[in-house]
Amino acid sequence: MKLLFMTTSPNQVYDYLKNLNFIQMKVVDFKDFNKTKNIDIETLILGFEPDMILTYRCPYILSKEWYSLASLGAYNIHPSLLPKYAGLNPWKSIFDNHERENGVTLHRISRIIDGGEIIFQKSYVIEDTDTLKEARDKADLISVELIGKLLGMCGEFNRIKKNVL
């Protein structure tokens, strides 16, 4: 499977994916780009021809022309229980509102920001003593778990498809 992973590292999802030997991964790491540098995402996608696009901590909105090119779909990992706290960085609102339960949503990318079909969600508790970093670390661990489930589903789909053909 060819995976285009768009992220800002470091994070545990990146660490998990880079160690999987059954995927060929191309990473767009936004920590390597400043706001003035133009990234030609369309050329990147067309040149790599990914089976799947995955975004996590990605500061860019992908157009339908881009995310529809991945045969297994394009997915985003969002650090809240959507539809609550949609948007680029929900952490400030989550902490300002003293939320004690939060979660992670893995959903399809669609024209509506953070509004695509929800594939998986999982919640966790934010303890009174948790810092923002500790809450983000919890979200990272859950994100890894949800990505593993998604990749397992895609692997099963590929096995079925090969057996049918």
Side-chain angles (χ1 to χ4, degrees), residues 15-64:
D15 293 342
Y16 169 72
L17 289 171
K18 75 179 181 183
N19 291 313
L20 297 179
N21 60 8
F22 64 90
I23 61 172
Q24 178 185 354
M25 184 168 66
K26 177 92 168 169
V27 177
V28 176
D29 191 340
F30 293 102
K31 79 172 171 69
D32 297 331
F33 297 94
N34 61 39
K35 297 280 186 201
T36 60
K37 187 170 183 179
N38 189 17
I39 302 167
D40 188 353
I41 295 173
E42 184 174 15
T43 300
L44 184 89
I45 293 171
L46 291 172
F48 185 61
E49 297 178 349
D51 299 308
M52 179 186 290
I53 298 171
L54 177 63
T55 63
Y56 183 57
R57 297 186 185 175
C58 175
Y60 283 84
I61 307 294
L62 300 182
S63 72
K64 182 174 185 185

Side-chain angles (χ1 to χ4, degrees), residues 101-129:
E101 180 184 40
N102 191 38
V104 175
T105 303
L106 189 146
H107 66 94
R108 286 188 182 274
I109 295 175
S110 71
R111 289 181 188 215
I112 300 168
I113 297 170
D114 293 331
E117 174 192 4
I118 292 173
I119 309 300
F120 301 116
Q121 282 186 315
K122 185 171 181 179
S123 64
Y124 65 92
V125 173
I126 299 175
E127 302 293 341
D128 290 336
T129 57

Side-chain angles (χ1 to χ4, degrees), residues 42-106:
E42 184 174 15
T43 300
L44 184 89
I45 293 171
L46 291 172
F48 185 61
E49 297 178 349
D51 299 308
M52 179 186 290
I53 298 171
L54 177 63
T55 63
Y56 183 57
R57 297 186 185 175
C58 175
Y60 283 84
I61 307 294
L62 300 182
S63 72
K64 182 174 185 185
E65 292 75 30
W66 296 344
Y67 67 75
S68 63
L69 294 173
S71 61
L72 294 175
Y75 303 88
N76 179 53
I77 306 165
H78 185 78
S80 78
L81 295 171
L82 290 173
K84 196 171 185 180
Y85 298 115
L88 181 60
N89 189 353
W91 290 106
K92 181 177 178 349
S93 297
I94 290 166
F95 271 76
D96 284 352
N97 292 333
H98 307 286
E99 295 289 353
R100 292 295 158 234
E101 180 184 40
N102 191 38
V104 175
T105 303
L106 189 146

